[in-house]
Amino acid sequence: MSRKKSDKTTIHDIAYELGLNASTVSRALNNNLAVSKKTRELVKAKALEMNYQPNYIAAALRRGRSNTLGVIVPAIDRSFFGRVIRGIEEEADEAGFRVIVCQSFDSSEREREMVDTLRGLQVDGLLISVAKDTGDNLDLYQKLISSGFPIQFFDNVPSSLEVVPAVIIDDRRGGYAATKHLIDQGYKRIAHLRGPQHLHIYRNRYLGYLDAMKEAGLEVNDDSVLEIVSHFDNGEEAFEELWKRTPRPEAIFSASDYSAVSGMKAARRLGLRVPEDIAFIGFANEPFNELVSPTLSSVDQQPITMGQIAATRAIKGITSDEDDEQPNDRLVLMPEVVVRESSGAK
Amino acid sequence: MSRKKSDKTTIHDIAYELGLNASTVSRALNNNLAVSKKTRELVKAKALEMNYQPNYIAAALRRGRSNTLGVIVPAIDRSFFGRVIRGIEEEADEAGFRVIVCQSFDSSEREREMVDTLRGLQVDGLLISVAKDTGDNLDLYQKLISSGFPIQFFDNVPSSLEVVPAVIIDDRRGGYAATKHLIDQGYKRIAHLRGPQHLHIYRNRYLGYLDAMKEAGLEVNDDSVLEIVSHFDNGEEAFEELWKRTPRPEAIFSASDYSAVSGMKAARRLGLRVPEDIAFIGFANEPFNELVSPTLSSVDQQPITMGQIAATRAIKGITSDEDDEQPNDRLVLMPEVVVRESSGAK
DNA sequence: CAATTCATCGCAATCGGTTTCATTCTAGCA
DNA sequence: TGCTAGAATGAAACCGATTGCGATGAATTG
């Protein structure tokens, strides 16, 4: 009869069966050279035989390291975040880290809860794209950063902090490039569907639009710009509204692919041809851009690279001994314009 | 000077500051009535003041319960899974459970690793949509199920097991309903783009197609059906292939929205009108179905409901004392046809 | 042959909470 | 006043793995 009480095998069970001590079993399973090769193999064989399942949280408790990364994103089912997470997982896998993903649903309150939860689960580092509501968790993040806790922000980062360890793309440059592309195609009256301006990503895309227009000596007035609340809907209404204005736009740079696509839809309903009558370019390079017709030009944010770099930096912050080795600067990636049918030459 | 060694506060630190014992602090924080109200409030105030962060894994280790659910899906960025996870999180939140999400990337080997990882993390239950490669982990799942471990499968479930605790939709019924809808619109020559037949979900959609065709007395031959490997690509080629055959189809039921959309694209490139010249209906009701034009009819799989039910059942399996309370049956949800433009009347 | 080195392994403390059992103290009652 | 019930808290074992230190014994060296 075995001495086991429950169904799960522990190193003590293995040790008992083999007439060894749990510490030896632990060392053997960790390939510690202090244990003879013979014993190591014996232990491993027995572990397999007894269907041993290591208890990671016990090890984490003792070691003070869980080898786990916590990730918080607004919503898991937005393809951008999905791809960022893919990049994170790739690097984490490589470095022997696990990944726990949580959703804030764009609520900074829930985001705060998630931070607490993940820290309670003893994650070694945190990767966060902050919620897009109007709240913030500046106090919390300020405390975490200055305590030296490995944390990396990406995409949408807390704006008003002095030092923010983050991986972002140059949205202003992206907005500039998208607009410049339209200008290069010969369009002059270019409108911009911008996102909520309290979010710096949308603000920067808008500024980039202004940069390009100014550089080309093109006019921008109140009628050139329209703000959309949620980037999911309103694209149709927004387009109709823009189309009513005089002079009518020849091209539209939308801060989101969603509103660009629904804008194109509204355009087609009005009997307009894209891009002949009205050209479009979006932002984010969503996968469905290839599926709609005409296919939608957009600005790629390099999500996978973003995830990889953010993870690498976080892991570096975890594994480096020196506290000052913490990557605390703001790494900026360059976006790329992806040209498709919707922004063809005028 | 404080007695703290590190920066994180423990219940022992709080106890020391208050001249109490750690056990009292623990009880106080858990609202245990054995502790006087005065002490409870004192402890809570001190905990707040000292910025105490409970260590969940220590508690989990001792209690043998982590209040965490593990979820494994092929890929997080597929909107179907995103929505299932949303449903899972809703129910988990309600019941005070955390959720850890992992991706198998459709590799059953990686899926197995994830199961090990999550069990090592001491999750109390597992929710899995199995990888769509040709492998399986039948031995592993058989063992888990018969050991009474709370596990629930959803969407794509291990086929050849006797008893599978699962929440699925009736794919056969869905395939039938989609085909029936096309028939009701007056189409007679209806082709089917089917998915890999070793996966029962695709097999069942195909069977449902056959059911409807047979019921209506319509002919199905080798030319009516075409198999697509990856549901992401090949939609265009597949359509072109189908269009070459004689007689040409009037309508297409595709087992995936992706291939339906790219099929529509190929159709338009050939100068065909949808649905006048060729009608389409897909499966899965992806969000982009609303964005493409014409909008794509599809079959909704009720992902949120699926997630909610799967989570509820898993949690029930965890919290119920009786081992035989485990929900081990196969719960079947009914899919719903969502009619849009692509399948208009002939 | 005695002394020393090194490989191998056991003992026990430890991580941070939880929980059982014991202890202290106060209030209530005869 | 003396005794007891019950409220409040403390002491210590415990969850499962890790690890510093010490013990054992064999091998090596002078």
Side-chain angles (χ1 to χ4, degrees):
Chain A
M1 203 55 199
S2 144
R3 63 176 275 284
K4 292 178 3 182
K5 305 164 201 167
S6 136
D7 49 348
K8 25 201 153 204
T9 328
T10 73
I11 54 170
H12 294 92
D13 301 324
I14 300 176
Y16 178 84
E17 294 287 326
L18 256 33
L20 288 171
N21 187 281
S23 57
T24 305
V25 174
S26 170
R27 280 186 276 250
L29 292 173
N30 286 313
N31 278 319
N32 191 319
L33 294 183
V35 176
S36 71
K37 197 175 172 197
K38 207 178 71 182
T39 311
R40 258 182 294 161
E41 284 167 359
L42 209 69
V43 168
K44 284 179 190 171
K46 199 70 181 174
L48 212 60
E49 179 198 324
M50 297 179 72
N51 195 23
Y52 169 69
Q53 193 77 40
N55 188 325
Y56 295 139
I57 67 173
L61 178 59
R62 172 60 225 246
R63 270 209 260 251
R65 268 276 296 277
S66 62
N67 277 293
T68 304
L69 253 34
V71 179
I72 305 175
V73 295
I76 235 170
D77 56 346
R78 293 225 273 275
S79 72
F80 171 76
F81 293 120
R83 284 182 285 174
V84 174
I85 292 170
R86 186 172 291 243
I88 293 173
E89 294 229 29
E90 283 174 14
E91 290 303 313
D93 267 16
E94 191 109 358
F97 276 76
R98 283 177 289 273
V99 175
I100 297 180
V101 181
C102 296
Q103 314 185 66
S104 67
F105 297 127
D106 271 326
S107 148
S108 46
E109 189 189 329
R110 193 177 144 98
E111 182 177 298
R112 192 184 196 100
E113 289 172 16
M114 289 298 140
V115 171
D116 284 345
T117 296
L118 289 174
R119 296 222 302 147
L121 289 173
Q122 307 304 109
V123 299
D124 297 326
L126 235 29
L127 299 165
I128 303 176
S129 178
V130 308
K132 292 197 184 65
D133 59 1
T134 50
D136 59 53
N137 291 313
L138 289 186
D139 52 337
L140 172 64
Y141 293 137
Q142 185 60 266
K143 207 176 290 180
L144 275 175
I145 293 169
S146 53
S147 80
F149 185 83
I151 187 170
Q152 291 286 326
F153 295 92
F154 60 91
D155 181 47
N156 193 32
V157 313
S159 37
S160 43
L161 283 182
E162 286 229 354
V163 47
V164 186
V167 183
I168 54 179
I169 68 151
D170 191 330
D171 281 281
R172 185 161 183 167
R173 180 99 199 163
Y176 170 84
T179 312
K180 182 74 162 45
H181 165 66
L182 293 174
I183 294 171
D184 288 346
Q185 300 298 311
Y187 299 104
K188 295 199 186 308
R189 293 195 304 280
I190 301 174
H192 176 43
L193 281 181
R194 69 180 191 187
Q197 293 294 296
H198 71 275
L199 297 173
H200 62 96
I201 56 173
Y202 293 122
R203 173 135 194 91
N204 282 331
R205 290 172 200 178
Y206 170 58
L207 291 176
Y209 160 77
L210 293 182
D211 290 345
M213 294 298 276
K214 187 174 176 189
E215 183 189 78
L218 295 175
E219 195 197 344
V220 174
N221 56 36
D222 284 352
D223 279 345
S224 314
V225 179
L226 189 63
E227 191 155 325
I228 41 180
V229 251
S230 154
H231 70 182
F232 228 114
D233 3 83
N234 301 106
E236 306 194 38
E237 294 165 37
F239 175 77
E240 284 163 9
E241 162 67 21
L242 274 179
W243 197 246
K244 276 188 217 145
R245 298 180 176 176
T246 46
R248 283 174 171 163
E250 300 167 329
I252 295 177
F253 161 44
S254 164
S256 120
D257 284 336
Y258 286 92
S259 42
V261 168
S262 50
M264 288 204 299
K265 211 165 151 185
R268 195 170 318 100
R269 206 178 23 233
L270 293 179
L272 303 171
R273 292 162 306 159
V274 179
E276 291 81 356
D277 298 322
I278 179 82
F280 280 90
I281 186 168
F283 206 109
N285 201 22
E286 300 279 349
F288 60 71
N289 290 6
E290 302 260 11
L291 294 173
V292 299
S293 49
T295 52
L296 177 65
S297 301
S298 190
V299 179
D300 189 78
Q301 301 172 279
Q302 307 196 51
I304 295 189
T305 308
M306 186 177 284
Q308 289 172 330
I309 297 182
T312 305
R313 284 162 54 106
I315 291 171
K316 186 180 173 195
I318 295 167
T319 49
S320 74
D321 315 319
E322 312 298 326
D323 265 14
D324 47 306
E325 288 261 11
Q326 205 72 233
N328 267 341
D329 58 318
R330 185 188 288 248
L331 196 149
V332 181
L333 297 175
M334 279 302 147
E336 269 176 30
V337 172
V338 180
V339 179
R340 297 199 182 86
E341 297 164 358
S342 67
S343 63
K346 185 177 165 56
Chain B
M1 203 57 197
S2 143
R3 62 177 277 280
K4 295 185 347 185
K5 306 162 198 169
S6 136
D7 49 348
K8 27 201 150 203
T9 330
T10 72
I11 54 170
H12 295 93
D13 299 325
I14 299 175
Y16 177 84
E17 293 288 325
L18 257 33
L20 288 172
N21 187 282
S23 55
T24 305
V25 174
S26 170
R27 280 186 278 251
L29 292 173
N30 286 313
N31 279 319
N32 190 320
L33 294 183
V35 177
S36 73
K37 195 176 174 196
K38 206 178 73 181
T39 311
R40 258 182 294 161
E41 284 168 359
L42 208 69
V43 169
K44 284 180 190 172
K46 200 69 182 177
L48 212 60
E49 179 198 324
M50 296 178 72
N51 196 24
Y52 169 70
Q53 194 78 39
N55 188 327
Y56 296 139
I57 69 173
L61 178 59
R62 172 61 225 245
R63 272 209 258 251
R65 267 277 296 275
S66 62
N67 276 294
T68 305
L69 252 35
V71 180
I72 304 176
V73 295
I76 234 169
D77 56 345
R78 293 225 273 274
S79 71
F80 171 75
F81 293 121
R83 284 182 285 174
V84 174
I85 293 171
R86 186 172 291 244
I88 292 173
E89 295 230 30
E90 284 175 14
E91 290 302 314
D93 266 18
E94 191 110 358
F97 276 75
R98 283 177 289 274
V99 175
I100 297 180
V101 182
C102 293
Q103 314 185 63
S104 67
F105 297 127
D106 272 325
S107 149
S108 47
E109 189 189 329
R110 195 178 142 97
E111 182 178 299
R112 193 185 196 99
E113 289 172 18
M114 289 298 140
V115 171
D116 284 345
T117 296
L118 290 174
R119 295 220 303 147
L121 253 22
Q122 308 303 110
V123 299
D124 298 326
L126 235 29
L127 298 164
I128 303 176
S129 178
V130 308
K132 292 196 185 64
D133 59 1
T134 50
D136 59 53
N137 291 314
L138 289 186
D139 52 337
L140 172 64
Y141 294 137
Q142 186 59 267
K143 208 176 289 179
L144 275 175
I145 293 169
S146 54
S147 79
F149 185 83
I151 188 170
Q152 290 287 325
F153 295 92
F154 60 90
D155 181 44
N156 193 30
V157 313
S159 38
S160 44
L161 284 181
E162 285 229 356
V163 46
V164 186
V167 183
I168 55 179
I169 68 151
D170 191 331
D171 281 280
R172 186 160 185 167
R173 179 102 200 160
Y176 169 84
T179 313
K180 182 74 161 49
H181 165 65
L182 293 174
I183 294 171
D184 288 346
Q185 302 297 309
Y187 299 103
K188 296 200 186 310
R189 292 195 304 280
I190 302 172
H192 176 44
L193 281 181
R194 68 180 192 186
Q197 294 293 297
H198 71 274
L199 297 172
H200 62 96
I201 55 174
Y202 293 122
R203 173 135 197 91
N204 282 331
R205 290 172 201 177
Y206 170 58
L207 291 176
Y209 160 77
L210 293 183
D211 290 346
M213 294 297 276
K214 186 173 176 188
E215 183 188 79
L218 296 174
E219 194 197 345
V220 174
N221 55 38
D222 284 352
D223 279 345
S224 314
V225 178
L226 190 62
E227 190 154 326
I228 42 181
V229 249
S230 155
H231 70 185
F232 227 114
D233 6 84
N234 300 105
E236 307 194 37
E237 294 165 38
F239 175 76
E240 284 162 10
E241 163 67 20
L242 274 180
W243 197 246
K244 276 186 218 149
R245 298 180 177 178
T246 46
R248 284 175 169 161
E250 299 168 329
I252 296 177
F253 160 44
S254 164
S256 120
D257 284 336
Y258 285 91
S259 43
V261 169
S262 50
M264 288 204 299
K265 213 166 151 183
R268 196 168 319 100
R269 206 177 26 232
L270 292 179
L272 302 172
R273 293 163 305 160
V274 178
E276 291 81 357
D277 297 322
I278 179 82
F280 280 89
I281 186 167
F283 206 109
N285 201 22
E286 300 278 350
F288 60 70
N289 289 5
E290 302 261 11
L291 294 173
V292 299
S293 48
T295 52
L296 177 65
S297 301
S298 192
V299 179
D300 190 79
Q301 300 171 279
Q302 308 197 49
I304 296 190
T305 308
M306 187 178 282
Q308 289 172 332
I309 296 181
T312 306
R313 284 162 53 106
I315 291 171
K316 185 180 174 197
I318 295 167
T319 49
S320 73
D321 314 319
E322 312 297 327
D323 265 13
D324 46 306
E325 288 261 11
Q326 205 72 235
N328 267 342
D329 59 317
R330 185 188 287 248
L331 195 149
V332 181
L333 297 175
M334 279 302 148
E336 270 176 29
V337 172
V338 180
V339 179
R340 298 200 183 86
E341 297 163 358
S342 68
S343 63
K346 183 177 165 58

